[in-house]
Amino acid sequence: MPSAPELAFTRRSLLQGSLAALALGGSAGALAGCGSSDSSSGGGGKTVSIGSNYSDAGVKSAFAAVVADFNKSSGLSAKVNTVDHNTFQNKIQTYLQGTPDDVFSWFAGYRMKFFAAQGLASPIDDVWDKIGDSFPDSIKNAAKADDGHYYFVPLYNYPWVMNYRQSVFDEHGYSVPATWDDLMALCQKMKSDGLTPISFADKDGWPAMGTFDILNMRINGYQFHVDLMAHDESWTDPKVVKVFDTWKELFPYYSSGPNGLTWEEGAQDLQNKKAGMMFQGAGQVGQQFSKENLADLQFFPFPEIDSAYPIDSGIDAPIDGFMMSKKPKNKAGATKFLEYLGTAKAEAAYLASDPTDVGTASDYDQSSYNQLQKDSADIISKTKNIAQFLDRDTRPDFAYPVVQNALQQFINDKDSAAAAKSLEDQAKTIFV
Amino acid sequence: MVAIPLVVDLVFIWGPALATIVLSFTDATGAAPIHWVGTKNYHTLAEVDPSFWPAVRHNAIWLGVFILIATPLGMLFAVLLDRGLQGSRIYQSVIFLPVMLSLALIGIIWQVIYTTNGGLLNTLLGHGDGGGVDFLGDPSINLWAVLVEATWRQAGYVMILYLSGLKAVDLALKESAALDGANGWQTFRYVVFPVLRPVNVVILVVTVIESLRAFDLVYITNQGGIGLQLISAMITQQITGPGNRIGYGSALGVVLLLISLVPIVAFLVQQFRKEDES
């Protein structure tokens, strides 16, 4: 998922997409107030400062509820410094090198590992001694950096899946495809029924990354995904070319002109029954559906391509959570806060008004979930490896604009070899 | 009194410009120690980055369209409105409106017009159900689609600038031209246009500047992705994006600086020559 600024921001806004450009211009400097504001809590004390990018009104108040609950139960006083989502991500390097808050919001994956490796975050194994039992192994692995220590406490996530409308499947007698051949046959059938088999929209530049990820994991496995993202494997490897070649088989079944369509338009095609399926974050599509239609929205995991990598071997389910900065002013308090965050109770407090994302703790009380959330939690818990989405699993300067542009170029000219070569040439200049 | 602007100029313009040049020879990212990398960044942009040469070409096309179409169109609007058409204030407001609209709104307006998904234009072309022309996504045409947006805005801008110039033209000049039997075009070409020389220079400079720093429209379309690469958009992606490739972004900035120097030097040379003559 979109952790590029505009993207994460986009998902939660009304005037999606277009506002991102505004935020870019309007919020520069907002971060200046962050981090340096709290100097009262030298060594211990009761104050814990939290740097948060949960800047949209809805998530901001949801997070405030979590913090209020923590303050009540712990007797400490946690203070939130909220910074605009875009600005926070764009300035994170400078922020972490200055005087960051004790605890800060961030993402799992390469982006977490990157700061852990630079020593800009503190290991929090002691936190995980307390909260470890509440999480499945897939989530635990996602919270560890390369040195084997924990650096991250997850809050929520959502899976990337093939979305469809149950009523459309019922009407035409379609069944959920289990393999690539099934998928091709289903697409063919949908096409002859006058549907766009797969709604595909990449104007925003990141949705295509989800398709690349899942094809790569289905064809080459989770570990290859991780190694490729870290550039330990070459993009010109025939395995990568095979991903692109396989992808080309989907294009006849895609919407026309995907580079000009926003993913919101793509989701509307699914809602309006013009398209049969859409590979996208379950929560993202759900947000575009009206309340009445939401109950009709279903999904299935992307079908198996190579039996060596079955459907439960890996999916993208990007996790948002928190980390501890390198020299927290109040380490004991920060530890306490992270321990609190790593409970089903805190996750539930945060997700109370969120109808699409799901908590990451295994003992999360799912009675408040709608069907979509139940299915999301189910697929995540059954999957052995949770990938974090391309832009979070690789260097941000490689994901944007390099991969983004290369995938759009590939969508346009469908030249597998050229895409692989261009990506490798540029990767060499960035991963040094 | 000259000292203060001079200091401001040095601190806020030449300081950053020089810093940019220095940074362009490093691998600065905002984190981690900075290393000298020689001309590697320039090598990367010229030989590896698939966006760079398209960006240079697109900037040149942008300038060409502005000089040949957008600016003359704005001048035409101004001249027509200056003749005191009925309701000219309404026309003025309508044509100037795009300049005042917020970017978010402009993005939405043109998405609605251009999209293949039941967009206005594709519906008029008979492709309301999809399958029409992918104006914003197809890299062989999306630059032209965005240039229509840019012209739509630039023409209004130039119109207002030019209109204020036209208002200042002595009516007696036009009357005597008319008495001498000049028609509308001749009056404009041989009387009004030369009189407006200072305004023309301003408009030319504005046009060149707007073309070189063109950025916002492509950014709201696809963040300067395929078909819409521009140097300024590339700089933004590299420096302000999550990647913080400041060294590489600075190299792009230096290229833009060098390109910008061409019209600036040409302009200054001409100015100085004129001063010498007079």
Side-chain angles (χ1 to χ4, degrees):
Chain A
M1 122 181 158
S3 45
E6 58 278 8
L7 317 179
F9 182 79
T10 296
R11 254 171 300 125
R12 301 199 178 277
S13 317
L14 271 175
L15 294 176
Q16 275 137 338
S18 317
L19 280 178
L22 277 190
L24 187 82
S27 56
L31 202 68
C34 191
S36 57
S37 57
D38 188 333
S39 54
S40 60
S41 58
K46 294 191 100 184
T47 314
V48 184
S49 65
I50 301 161
S52 160
N53 64 354
Y54 296 4
S55 55
D56 219 38
V59 289
K60 190 173 175 181
S61 62
F63 187 62
V66 175
V67 173
D69 190 44
F70 168 74
N71 287 344
K72 213 165 72 183
S73 63
S74 69
L76 294 172
S77 136
K79 279 206 183 113
V80 185
N81 295 319
T82 305
V83 175
D84 165 73
H85 203 122
N86 288 1
T87 313
F88 189 86
Q89 270 156 253
N90 291 341
K91 300 289 175 221
I92 184 81
Q93 299 254 15
T94 340
Y95 166 67
L96 289 180
Q97 283 183 321
T99 46
D101 299 292
D102 298 342
V103 174
F104 61 98
S105 56
W106 200 235
F107 316 107
Y110 188 95
R111 291 210 168 173
M112 173 266 290
K113 295 175 186 170
F114 184 67
F115 292 127
Q118 286 188 319
L120 290 172
S122 302
I124 50 169
D125 294 336
D126 47 345
V127 171
W128 276 87
D129 287 342
K130 286 247 174 72
I131 65 172
D133 291 342
S134 327
F135 292 92
D137 286 345
S138 57
I139 300 281
K140 282 187 191 166
N141 289 335
K144 278 186 223 167
D146 293 331
D147 60 6
H149 293 293
Y150 287 101
Y151 284 89
F152 180 80
V153 173
L155 192 57
Y156 68 91
N157 67 348
Y158 66 88
W160 273 70
V161 287
M162 198 65 110
N163 299 274
Y164 67 95
R165 289 194 65 159
Q166 188 62 48
S167 58
V168 170
F169 270 48
D170 289 345
E171 186 188 331
H172 297 280
Y174 301 142
S175 54
V176 167
T179 65
W180 180 256
D181 291 340
D182 292 349
L183 179 67
M184 289 290 115
L186 177 59
C187 286
Q188 192 57 51
K189 225 195 264 172
M190 285 181 169
K191 204 170 183 181
S192 60
D193 289 337
L195 292 167
T196 300
I198 302 176
S199 184
F200 182 64
D202 193 41
K203 182 164 179 260
D204 307 281
W206 51 268
M209 294 176 180
T211 300
F212 178 86
D213 276 352
I214 196 67
L215 289 172
N216 192 22
M217 282 192 275
R218 289 286 179 270
I219 294 169
N220 301 314
Y222 170 78
Q223 193 53 47
F224 184 83
H225 161 80
V226 172
D227 295 342
L228 179 66
M229 292 302 121
H231 201 229
D232 292 333
E233 296 279 355
S234 164
W235 286 84
T236 45
D237 190 310
K239 287 176 161 181
V240 179
V241 178
K242 189 173 175 209
V243 171
F244 284 120
D245 283 341
T246 309
W247 195 348
K248 279 199 282 195
E249 295 177 38
L250 287 175
F251 280 96
Y253 305 116
Y254 274 168
S255 322
S256 68
N259 277 335
L261 289 173
T262 64
W263 69 267
E264 292 95 333
E265 289 177 303
Q268 286 309 326
D269 276 357
L270 190 70
Q271 166 154 274
N272 298 332
K273 304 189 176 183
K274 277 165 76 180
M277 302 175 274
M278 181 175 191
F279 188 73
Q280 186 85 19
Q284 294 162 357
V285 175
Q287 284 169 15
Q288 296 298 312
F289 268 52
S290 69
K291 263 210 173 108
E292 311 84 71
N293 290 337
L294 196 58
D296 194 34
L297 178 65
Q298 306 279 332
F299 61 74
F300 56 87
F302 197 89
E304 177 179 301
I305 298 177
D306 183 333
S307 58
Y309 307 108
I311 55 169
D312 64 353
S313 65
I315 54 165
D316 271 331
I319 309 169
D320 282 28
F322 282 80
M323 296 175 74
M324 193 193 291
S325 57
K326 61 174 189 269
K327 277 187 211 144
K329 291 190 192 92
N330 182 356
K331 184 154 190 176
T335 305
K336 261 200 179 150
F337 180 70
L338 289 174
E339 283 167 0
Y340 170 78
L341 268 191
T343 60
K345 185 172 164 246
E347 292 182 354
Y350 177 71
L351 290 175
S353 56
D354 182 335
T356 49
D357 295 315
V358 293
T360 50
S362 353
D363 54 349
Y364 192 99
D365 173 16
Q366 303 197 355
S367 60
S368 64
Y369 279 170
N370 57 31
Q371 194 57 41
L372 184 75
Q373 286 172 305
K374 280 182 186 148
D375 294 342
S376 295
D378 187 52
I379 189 175
I380 290 169
S381 69
K382 281 183 181 156
T383 304
K384 295 194 183 80
N385 298 293
I386 304 291
Q388 299 302 314
F389 202 80
L390 194 149
D391 68 352
R392 294 179 177 192
D393 275 337
T394 190
R395 288 179 59 121
D397 50 358
F398 183 61
Y400 303 99
V402 175
V403 179
Q404 171 178 345
N405 287 0
L407 293 186
Q408 286 187 331
Q409 191 67 47
F410 170 73
I411 290 165
N412 184 61
D413 56 27
K414 301 175 189 66
D415 187 338
S416 308
K421 183 177 181 311
S422 168
L423 282 161
E424 178 61 19
D425 286 348
Q426 295 181 79
K428 276 186 188 142
T429 69
I430 292 172
F431 292 87
V432 284
Chain B
M1 284 311 282
V2 159
I4 294 171
L6 188 70
V7 169
V8 169
D9 187 68
L10 281 176
V11 171
F12 292 106
I13 308 217
W14 286 103
L18 289 175
T20 303
I21 295 172
V22 172
L23 282 169
S24 75
F25 295 101
T26 72
D27 65 354
T29 60
I34 296 176
H35 305 103
W36 293 105
V37 294
T39 55
K40 178 169 170 270
N41 288 329
Y42 293 94
H43 178 264
T44 301
L45 67 82
E47 313 247 320
V48 181
D49 193 331
S51 296
F52 179 70
W53 291 110
V56 172
R57 196 171 64 240
H58 297 158
N59 267 108
I61 292 173
W62 203 283
L63 178 63
V65 167
F66 267 25
I67 288 184
L68 295 177
I69 297 173
T71 300
L73 192 64
M75 291 162 89
L76 178 68
F77 287 152
V79 171
L80 291 179
L81 289 175
D82 187 47
R83 291 180 157 185
L85 294 178
Q86 211 165 20
S88 80
R89 271 169 200 277
I90 295 172
Y91 290 122
Q92 251 179 63
S93 315
V94 169
I95 297 170
F96 190 64
L97 194 62
V99 184
M100 302 190 294
L101 290 180
S102 81
L103 266 184
L105 210 51
I106 291 178
I108 292 170
I109 290 172
W110 287 96
Q111 180 73 17
V112 168
I113 293 174
Y114 279 138
T115 180
T116 50
N117 201 341
L120 176 67
L121 207 48
N122 273 308
T123 304
L124 290 178
L125 293 171
H127 296 291
D129 298 331
V133 183
D134 185 7
F135 290 105
L136 294 177
D138 182 343
S140 61
I141 52 171
N142 60 3
L143 180 68
W144 302 102
V146 173
L147 277 167
V148 170
E149 302 176 22
T151 301
W152 171 74
R153 200 169 53 170
Q154 177 75 1
Y157 189 24
V158 169
M159 176 197 74
I160 288 293
L161 287 178
Y162 214 63
L163 208 49
S164 62
L166 286 171
K167 297 276 183 227
V169 175
D170 192 345
L171 272 180
L173 275 175
K174 289 193 212 168
E175 277 168 17
S176 51
L179 282 177
D180 288 342
N183 62 24
W185 166 247
Q186 288 167 328
T187 310
F188 176 74
R189 173 68 187 80
Y190 297 106
V191 179
V192 177
F193 189 78
V195 169
L196 284 180
R197 193 172 183 287
V199 180
N200 292 334
V201 170
V202 168
I203 287 178
L204 185 65
V205 170
V206 165
T207 301
V208 172
I209 290 174
E210 289 290 323
S211 315
L212 288 175
R213 65 173 200 180
F215 160 75
D216 46 9
L217 291 172
V218 305
Y219 202 80
I220 57 171
T221 303
N222 69 358
Q223 294 116 47
I226 58 160
L228 295 180
Q229 297 97 336
L230 289 176
I231 297 176
S232 55
M234 290 178 72
I235 295 172
T236 307
Q237 288 175 336
Q238 298 293 350
I239 292 187
T240 71
N244 283 310
R245 279 177 91 189
I246 293 169
Y248 184 62
S250 297
L252 289 163
V254 171
V255 170
L256 189 56
L257 177 68
L258 292 176
I259 295 175
S260 308
L261 282 176
V262 175
I264 292 171
V265 169
F267 173 68
L268 289 178
V269 165
Q270 207 215 6
Q271 287 294 311
F272 288 138
R273 191 176 296 155
K274 239 182 33 200
E275 275 172 27
D276 287 346
E277 281 167 10
S278 58

